Amino acid sequence: MTVEPLCNPRRANCPSLIQVKAQTWRRWVPSEDMAISSGELVRRNAVFAATGAFAGLAFPSSDVLQVLGCVDSRVDPGVVLGLALGEGVVMRNIGGRVTPAALRCWALLGRLGQGRPAGGHLVILQHTDCGITRLAGYPGQLAAFFEIPVGELAGKAVADPYAAVRVDAAIARQALPPGRLVSGLVYDVATGLIEIVDPAGGG
């Protein structure tokens, strides 16, 4: 299969990755008798590879922006926030929650940035109509997810993303290095817009 390159993104008059996403984006409507085959994924990857957007990206990846989001397929943080490859480190779990496991992951990733000054911006991105609200009937599993006793689940505000993102931002600020900015955002699945619920400056 031959795929025509869209352009060299480092040349003048070449659309940005966000523009390319906007030009090629299409809504996928799921169906019970339909799945995305591996062949289709290869085809889509060839279109992506032709953009050259991956070329020359440095490792370690960005320590300027880190995003913690939900695994919900409607809320891909890179797409929702318009991030290009290499522009941010994205981690996802159920609800986009700051759990002990998430904090351990951030600590391990921090090893990659040793020797550089502590800083960057951690964005906690939660959303409306989140599936975690439907897990209230499974308190044991939820408590295990948060690594807390069942009796402390109320403090996690799982039914309210606006309250939950404030809870998690406070935990992150206490646990992460003091030079790290932390903000809490909520994405509205009905409008496609995000709201800054807990600003990085605390105001």
Side-chain angles (χ1 to χ4, degrees), residues 95-180:
R97 300 305 305 258
V98 175
T99 63
L103 291 172
R104 288 192 292 268
C105 284
W106 289 123
L108 193 57
L109 287 171
R111 299 281 186 186
L112 301 176
Q114 284 186 342
R116 291 179 290 183
H121 182 191
L122 170 62
V123 172
I124 302 168
L125 179 66
Q126 298 179 9
H127 67 96
T128 60
D129 191 37
C130 184
I132 199 171
T133 65
R134 299 171 174 81
L135 298 177
Y138 306 92
Q141 287 178 284
L142 266 182
F145 173 65
F146 286 110
E147 299 183 34
I148 59 174
V150 171
E152 296 179 12
L153 276 176
K156 293 300 180 181
V158 294
D160 180 356
Y162 295 90
V165 82
R166 290 189 180 96
V167 168
D168 286 356
I171 293 171
R173 290 189 182 108
Q174 188 174 42
L176 296 175
R180 182 76 56 85

Side-chain angles (χ1 to χ4, degrees), residues 44-135:
R44 295 186 190 188
N45 170 253
V47 174
F48 159 75
T51 69
F54 58 90
L57 296 178
F59 182 85
S61 48
S62 175
D63 60 351
V64 175
L65 177 67
Q66 302 90 32
V67 182
L68 173 62
C70 182
V71 295
D72 192 318
S73 60
R74 301 169 297 171
V75 194
D76 186 317
V79 175
V80 167
L81 300 176
L83 301 180
L85 284 180
E87 198 170 11
V89 174
V90 177
M91 183 168 67
R92 301 170 75 175
N93 65 20
I94 295 173
R97 300 305 305 258
V98 175
T99 63
L103 291 172
R104 288 192 292 268
C105 284
W106 289 123
L108 193 57
L109 287 171
R111 299 281 186 186
L112 301 176
Q114 284 186 342
R116 291 179 290 183
H121 182 191
L122 170 62
V123 172
I124 302 168
L125 179 66
Q126 298 179 9
H127 67 96
T128 60
D129 191 37
C130 184
I132 199 171
T133 65
R134 299 171 174 81
L135 298 177

Side-chain angles (χ1 to χ4, degrees), residues 11-32:
R11 292 181 183 169
N13 301 320
C14 177
S16 69
L17 180 60
I18 293 175
Q19 289 172 317
V20 169
K21 284 181 179 178
Q23 292 166 3
T24 60
W25 182 88
R26 60 195 173 101
R27 183 183 179 93
W28 183 70
V29 180
S31 169
E32 290 183 3

